[in-house]
Amino acid sequence: MAKWIMVVDDDTANLKAAGSILSKNNMRVTALKSGRALLNYITENGAPDLILLDIMMPEMDGFETLEKLRELEKNLDIHEIPVIFLTADEKTGTETRGFEMGVADYIRKPFNPEVLLRRIDNVISTQNEMKNLKSEATIDKLTGFLNKSATNNELAKMCIEKTGCLMMIDLDSFKLVNDIYGHEMGDKVLISFANIIRETVPKGSKYGRIGGDEFVSFCTGVEDEAIVADITKQLNEKLVKSAKEMMGEDMSIPLGTSIGAILVPKHGNDYASLLKLADKSLYVVKKNGKHGYAMYTTELFEEEEDSAVMDINTLSEIMGERNIPNVAMQLDMEAFSYVFRYTTRYFIRNSINSSKVLFTLEQAEGSDPTAYKNCCDEFGNHIRESLRKSDVLTRSRFNQYFVMLTDIREEFVGKVIDQIIDDWNNASSSDAKLDKSTVIIKYESDYVRNDDTVTPVKMKADIALIADSSADVDFIMGVLGKYGITVHHLSSREDFYDYVHNADRVPSLILLELNLKGVHGFKVIDTLEEMGGDMARVPIILLADADSDGQEVEGLTKNKVMDFIKKPFEEEILKVRVNHILELAALRKKYRILGYEE
């Protein structure tokens, strides 16, 4: 299918030039002369694959158009359309602003046709890859619903932003289908029921599968119990009809569905809390004949033995800490998530900065697994005792601790982390089982600003720089080093190969000088592809001379080449383009991890 590109520019000559280039390369082109026309066209005709958007336009410039486009996408419940800014403006500040707003790329006019085509192709390919990775990470493969992890994320947002009804939906007697007709038939019933939910709940609702035969849906705009009753009736009737079509009219399994429902925001807007109350309502249905629904009300679950009135002092004593220990607060993941969400909102409202830190303890090669696990257990106690009372932590995995440092200045974050690690390494232990040589401590941090200042580069990362020009190397390391990025300089192909075979971690990004002495950068890329594994997935930014349009086109055809920066390098351009690719790489990694876990 031909790619659909919208070109938005108030200059007719530019529209014709871009339209001609794209049309000759088998792309469907829609030319529009203003941001307002773009928004109206998408509302009426749907979303293209990509938008080429001029910045300097009368009435509504490219920045305002992009901002309104993102609002429109949310209202229409469509994915974010990738946008490439087109501009003749030489000011670096516009490029910074564009990337901060989420543009996919930035091309200066007059553009080279081949470069334009290659960058369009790269952006669309990256977008499609992200969609596929996100789908694998968030979609239940059997039903096409959101999986459990994605359901929690998406429905949590809806509970905050929308009015409606959260429903726990459970299949009654489903186990008998598997027992009598087999698991293949069971899968068919689940797929059919998922389709029934899709066609029955109101438009704009979202739904997910959170267990074998357990589903949850946020039904947008449902505020009336009568609608819940009607949805329940339809689900039960359609399910039985579908099951008999698949298993025969003599199917005697008492299949049906039970629903526990709760109105939002009438009973709050915290998804985890609402889900528990909906589950309680579902239990009421299960106890009383199934195939029905129960709406949560406070009266329904009011227990007489707990109805005694207490005064404020009694309640404070029950809930308060009589002796507050001089250590950080450690919570389990569920409790931590509530505290994290609340404090995040509080910090934003009160302009308080904070920092997130993730400690990961890796097992040293050849060390004893039991001793390693003992160290993982003890490291949490060490963190707790090292931090302030106001800091909070949780154990996210057996070898990971997630820490929130509250009300802290950015320059002190590194000092706190270094102190924790130094104290751990230097402190003697009376526990014979605690062999600290079994662990390698690694960490990543993310400083969260809630005041009026801005952190220029959001991502902390390790970058491999392969370049042999000392002036360029000094400039790049100086710029990126200012923003907390670790740069490993490798002056030759041999140095790089030695690095990739012996480094303790794969770099987040490779900056590759195209015209290295003794070897062309393209040869290095080909060798990386042949290596396979994690190294072959590392994104690459090529660094080249100013008169290198032909090399830019060829370079952008290479797998994993994400960008191309020409000399002379400018600090602002280097900074924002490196940050842009690091953010894409982090998102890609996140989806891969989620997909693996699910």
Side-chain angles (χ1 to χ4, degrees):
M1 184 182 294
K3 296 166 185 170
W4 181 18
I5 313 296
M6 285 186 184
V7 186
V8 186
D9 197 318
D10 62 313
D11 188 321
T12 303
N14 288 334
L15 287 177
K16 287 182 178 179
S20 174
I21 294 167
L22 301 177
S23 299
K24 287 178 182 177
N25 286 273
N26 302 314
M27 296 185 190
R28 174 188 169 192
V29 182
T30 299
L32 302 164
K33 299 196 72 172
S34 71
R36 182 65 58 196
L38 170 71
L39 301 175
N40 292 338
Y41 194 93
I42 290 174
T43 301
E44 296 173 5
N45 300 281
D49 295 300
L50 182 138
I51 297 170
L52 296 177
L53 179 59
D54 186 37
I55 292 180
M56 303 302 292
M57 295 186 295
E59 183 193 354
M60 185 188 298
D61 67 14
F63 295 113
E64 186 180 356
T65 300
L66 178 58
E67 187 176 356
K68 291 187 179 298
L69 173 65
R70 296 303 182 226
E71 292 174 2
L72 177 65
E73 290 162 343
K74 288 181 181 178
N75 292 335
L76 296 178
D77 196 25
I78 59 176
H79 66 271
E80 285 195 357
I81 307 164
V83 173
I84 295 178
F85 269 161
L86 301 176
T87 184
D89 189 354
E90 293 295 331
K91 296 177 182 176
T92 58
T94 59
E95 184 157 338
T96 302
R97 185 180 174 192
F99 279 119
E100 286 177 349
M101 291 183 67
V103 295
D105 207 344
Y106 211 104
I107 301 177
R108 299 191 183 281
K109 296 186 288 186
F111 43 77
N112 178 301
E114 290 187 41
V115 171
L116 175 68
L117 291 169
R118 177 45 51 195
R119 285 191 175 271
I120 287 174
D121 188 60
N122 274 15
V123 168
I124 292 177
S125 297
T126 300
Q127 179 82 356
N128 289 338
E129 181 190 6
M130 290 298 185
K131 282 183 186 177
N132 291 336
L133 286 171
K134 184 175 182 180
S135 176
E136 291 174 7
T138 61
I139 302 301
D140 175 60
K141 293 177 177 59
L142 180 67
T143 63
F145 275 17
L146 295 170
N147 61 24
K148 185 175 181 179
S149 175
T151 297
N152 293 342
N153 292 332
E154 292 297 318
L155 268 62
K157 293 177 188 173
M158 293 197 77
C159 286
I160 292 171
E161 298 170 359
K162 305 284 186 181
T163 297
C165 183
L166 184 67
M167 297 183 182
M168 278 281 290
I169 306 171
D170 191 65
L171 279 175
D172 301 325
S173 307
F174 173 73
K175 184 176 181 298
L176 291 174
V177 176
N178 286 331
D179 292 344
I180 297 172
Y181 293 92
H183 288 277
E184 185 176 345
M185 179 59 72
D187 287 349
K188 289 181 180 179
V189 171
L190 290 172
I191 293 168
S192 173
F193 186 59
N195 291 329
I196 290 169
I197 292 174
R198 280 191 188 94
E199 68 183 37
T200 304
V201 299
K203 186 178 179 181
S205 301
K206 286 194 176 180
Y207 21 75
R209 183 185 179 199
I210 58 173
D213 58 355
E214 295 176 318
F215 302 84
V216 62
S217 176
F218 185 94
C219 297
T220 306
V222 174
E223 301 178 64
D224 188 342
E225 183 175 343
I227 300 176
V228 177
D230 183 58
I231 290 173
T232 306
K233 181 173 180 290
Q234 288 191 57
L235 290 178
N236 274 290
E237 290 175 352
K238 292 176 182 178
L239 174 62
V240 172
K241 180 182 177 183
S242 173
K244 289 188 174 182
E245 287 173 356
M246 290 186 287
M247 291 178 274
E249 286 296 327
D250 59 346
M251 190 277 299
S252 58
I253 296 172
L255 265 179
T257 183
S258 297
I259 295 177
I262 185 167
L263 295 178
V264 181
K266 180 178 179 179
H267 296 288
N269 59 12
D270 181 80
Y271 170 72
S273 302
L274 291 165
L275 192 65
K276 287 181 179 179
L277 298 178
D279 192 42
K280 282 187 176 182
S281 303
L282 177 63
Y283 181 67
V284 171
V285 182
K286 292 286 191 180
K287 283 198 307 181
N288 293 280
K290 304 181 180 180
H291 300 10
Y293 75 93
M295 295 290 297
Y296 175 83
T297 63
T298 52
E299 295 79 16
L300 185 63
F301 299 101
E302 193 174 58
E303 297 181 2
E304 291 183 6
E305 61 270 25
D306 292 334
S307 62
V309 177
M310 291 183 285
D311 62 31
I312 190 169
N313 292 326
T314 305
L315 279 170
S316 298
E317 264 191 56
I318 291 171
M319 293 187 290
E321 293 179 275
R322 289 178 174 81
N323 296 300
I324 302 176
N326 193 28
V327 295
M329 179 186 294
Q330 183 168 356
L331 303 169
D332 61 50
M333 280 284 283
E334 184 177 3
F336 182 87
S337 67
Y338 292 123
V339 172
F340 183 82
R341 288 195 293 267
Y342 170 77
T343 53
T344 298
R345 293 194 298 267
Y346 181 83
F347 291 165
I348 291 171
R349 186 179 302 118
N350 293 280
S351 300
I352 297 173
N353 298 333
S354 62
S355 183
K356 295 173 282 187
V357 184
L358 180 65
F359 288 98
T360 301
L361 281 67
E362 295 183 357
Q363 183 176 355
E365 187 175 354
S367 62
D368 178 58
T370 302
Y372 163 62
K373 288 182 179 178
N374 288 335
C375 281
C376 290
D377 292 339
E378 182 58 31
F379 190 71
N381 293 328
H382 172 69
I383 296 176
R384 198 166 66 92
E385 293 170 0
S386 300
L387 297 178
R388 303 165 298 175
K389 297 179 192 177
S390 58
D391 299 326
V392 191
L393 73 146
T394 188
R395 192 172 189 172
S396 50
R397 291 189 179 178
F398 86 93
N399 67 331
Q400 284 191 316
Y401 291 90
F402 185 65
V403 178
M404 183 165 61
L405 304 175
T406 64
D407 197 9
I408 187 169
R409 286 161 55 184
E410 188 168 13
E411 60 266 31
F412 291 133
V413 174
K415 294 177 182 178
V416 170
I417 294 170
D418 290 343
Q419 191 69 51
I420 289 172
I421 296 174
D422 289 346
D423 288 350
W424 167 265
N425 290 329
N426 296 329
S428 58
S429 175
S430 57
D431 187 348
K433 297 180 181 178
L434 204 62
D435 180 2
K436 294 181 181 178
S437 66
T438 60
V439 297
I440 300 168
I441 302 172
K442 296 186 176 178
Y443 69 87
E444 51 187 301
S445 62
D446 182 14
Y447 191 73
V448 182
R449 287 187 178 275
N450 293 309
D451 53 22
D452 294 332
T453 58
V454 177
T455 301
V457 174
K458 303 180 186 70
M459 304 300 300
K460 307 291 183 185
D462 285 331
I463 288 179
L465 169 62
I466 314 171
D468 52 21
S469 168
S470 57
D472 291 338
V473 169
D474 290 344
F475 177 81
I476 292 169
M477 294 186 72
V479 170
L480 300 183
K482 285 196 297 187
Y483 303 110
I485 293 177
T486 302
V487 181
H488 303 279
H489 173 226
L490 309 149
S491 58
S492 68
R493 175 177 60 174
E494 290 72 22
D495 287 347
F496 179 65
Y497 293 158
D498 181 64
Y499 165 77
V500 299
H501 285 108
N502 295 294
D504 59 358
R505 63 186 296 177
V506 174
S508 307
L509 173 67
I510 296 170
L511 297 179
L512 173 60
E513 173 71 44
L514 202 51
N515 298 309
L516 288 168
K517 292 174 185 175
V519 62
H520 198 279
F522 290 158
K523 179 62 177 174
V524 176
I525 295 172
D526 293 339
T527 305
L528 284 170
E529 287 292 314
E530 292 167 5
M531 289 178 65
D534 291 338
M535 189 58 67
R537 287 198 289 266
V538 178
I540 297 170
I541 295 179
L542 293 176
L543 310 174
D545 297 330
D547 54 345
S548 54
D549 280 356
Q551 289 182 319
E552 181 173 2
V553 173
E554 183 179 356
L556 291 171
T557 64
K558 296 286 185 180
N559 194 24
K560 300 310 171 192
V561 172
M562 302 290 288
D563 209 342
F564 194 100
I565 304 177
K566 296 180 183 180
K567 302 176 185 178
F569 303 130
E570 296 183 46
E571 177 171 340
E572 196 70 14
I573 300 297
L574 177 68
K575 180 188 67 177
V576 297
R577 286 190 172 268
V578 165
N579 190 56
H580 177 60
I581 301 305
L582 286 174
E583 288 180 332
L584 285 175
L587 189 60
R588 196 183 262 131
K589 181 180 179 181
K590 170 188 171 184
Y591 287 149
R592 282 204 179 95
I593 291 171
L594 286 173
Y596 175 78
E597 287 178 347
E598 285 296 326

